[in-house]
Amino acid sequence: MAENKSWVLMVTAQTPTNIAVIKYWGKRDENLILPINDSISVTLDPAHLCTTTTVAVSPSFTQDRMWLNGKEISLSGGRYQSCLREIRSRATDVEDEKKGIRITKEDWQNLHLHIASYNNFPTAAGLASSAAGLACLVFSLAKLMNVKEDNSQLSAIARQGSGSACRSLFGGFVKWIMGKDESGSDSIAVQLADEKHWDELVILIAVVSSRQKETSSTSGMRETVETSPLVLHRAKEVVPKRIIEMEEAIQNRDFPAFARLSCSDSNQFHAVCLDTSPPIFYMNDTSHRIISCVEKWNRSEGTPQVAYTFDAGPNAVMIARNRKTAALLLQRLLFHFPPQSDVDINSYIVGDKSILQDAGIHDLKDVEALPPPPEIKDSIQTQNFKGDVSYFICTRPGRGPVLLTEDSQALLNPDTGLPK
Ligand SMILES: Nc1ncnc2c1ncn2[C@@H]1O[C@H](COP(=O)(O)OP(=O)(O)OP(=O)(O)O)[C@@H](O)[C@H]1O
Ligand SMILES: C[C@@](O)(CCOP(=O)(O)OP(=O)(O)O)CC(=O)O
């Protein structure tokens, strides 16, 4: 190792979040985070939802430290420790001739790290911040330490930080294979298709509540496995068939099958939550109203236009078959869930705002003028629920992790290794 103690070597990466369309819910090993069934997800465009993480190493650092969204957090938790241990054990020699730095494989065991991470969306609000966050931690450390493993092998490390994180190592459509081995070495993520394979899809997320949830996914799924008689049937009989059908639907870009499977699997996941003792309620009245709005529309069209799925929270993730459908969906959603009168429409729809133009919405007056969707015009229930949705995010399937090479994108100061 170079004698001079003043150098800081760092790497910055950006990693997407993902939404499961066949859900992971239940572990067979709590420590290694091994699931009771395979799962499949869609990676969301990091332009709209992502984690950025800078990792740095320096002989001047006296301990491993981490800052999340600007606040220092403890790295003492078992999951962070597992990821750090697994990555360090795979580190190899690193040489930076320009800076005169040489770190050997053995040096990594004694060198300390500084980590700064930022989520461009609410943390711990059911928008899979742990997935993007832990995947980004593992990916950036692997690059800093010159780890030679491929992204599938890295996914087995990210998995030990948070199960769903293993699927964020790839873009597009991703399967987490549950594996059989007790060591977890075959419980890895693989890419089914990249983000270009099915690029007409448009994703609209209704952020129903960005408050931190009552029951974390980790404790929720533990309680389900301990008490739900239904979850075993789901894992053994239902999910294996759905995984095969979902892979086929993705391969053939078969939207009706994709939508049917996504909606059924989300509903069954929430059914096993209800089957848990005491029951777990992640969805609320607004979530149920969104389901009913999509179901009515799909039924009236004779074939699904939109798929919905809900994770461990009330936020709705809706996947529309194309932009035209997404614009029609947005009109329906804005009819039922208009913003409060003092909210600017441009802060009510974030991410890919161009969907507003497609839907013909320029200001609040256009929202007020929206007619009831034809499929509900004869029903007495045309009341709206102003303010029940905090905001919408419009996005699409996106790419996997990337390195950010511009100095300006780093979250740590290159001289001190402290947050900028
Ligand atoms: N960028 C990040 N880097 C490292 N760890 C993170 C990051 N973002 C979130 N986490 C960890 O994940 C935790 C939040 O995970 P949690 O499962 O409660 O919520 P979520 O991932 O937002 O929602 P869900 O998994 O239910 O969709 C945080 O408390 C933190 O420990
Ligand atoms: C409902 C889910 O989002 C559950 C995600 O659970 P986590 O991956 O957050 O749980 P841990 O492995 O305990 O960290 C479904 C899914 O993403 O597949």
Side-chain angles (χ1 to χ4, degrees), residues 20 23-25 27 33 79 130 162-164 167 217-218 221 269 311-312:
K23 305 288 183 194
Y24 146 55
W25 195 253
K27 299 181 182 70
I33 312 200
R79 290 169 168 215
S130 56
S162 178
S164 52
R167 298 186 309 240
S217 305
T218 306
M221 70 175 82
F269 152 52
D311 271 354

Side-chain angles (χ1 to χ4, degrees), residues 115-177:
I115 303 160
S117 188
Y118 173 75
N119 301 325
N120 70 351
F121 60 95
T123 297
L127 290 172
S129 66
S130 56
L134 272 299
C136 208
L137 179 73
V138 169
F139 182 79
S140 51
L141 285 174
K143 299 300 160 204
L144 179 75
M145 298 184 183
N146 199 18
V147 170
K148 307 282 196 224
E149 264 87 344
D150 64 21
N151 280 13
S152 265
Q153 290 163 313
L154 293 182
S155 79
I157 304 177
R159 188 200 75 227
Q160 297 176 54
S162 178
S164 52
C166 74
R167 298 186 309 240
S168 274
L169 263 310
F170 295 98
F173 300 83
V174 185
K175 170 162 134 179
W176 173 10
I177 302 168

Side-chain angles (χ1 to χ4, degrees), residues 17 40 151 164 214 217 255 281 283 345 353 417:
T17 179
I40 292 180
N151 280 13
S164 52
E214 263 173 52
S217 305
F255 190 81
F281 309 102
M283 294 196 285
I345 192 76
K353 288 178 198 288

Side-chain angles (χ1 to χ4, degrees), residues 339-345 347 364 368 386-387:
Q340 303 275 22
S341 332
D342 56 345
V343 171
D344 174 13
I345 192 76
S347 54
L364 277 187
E368 280 157 20
K386 194 179 268 190

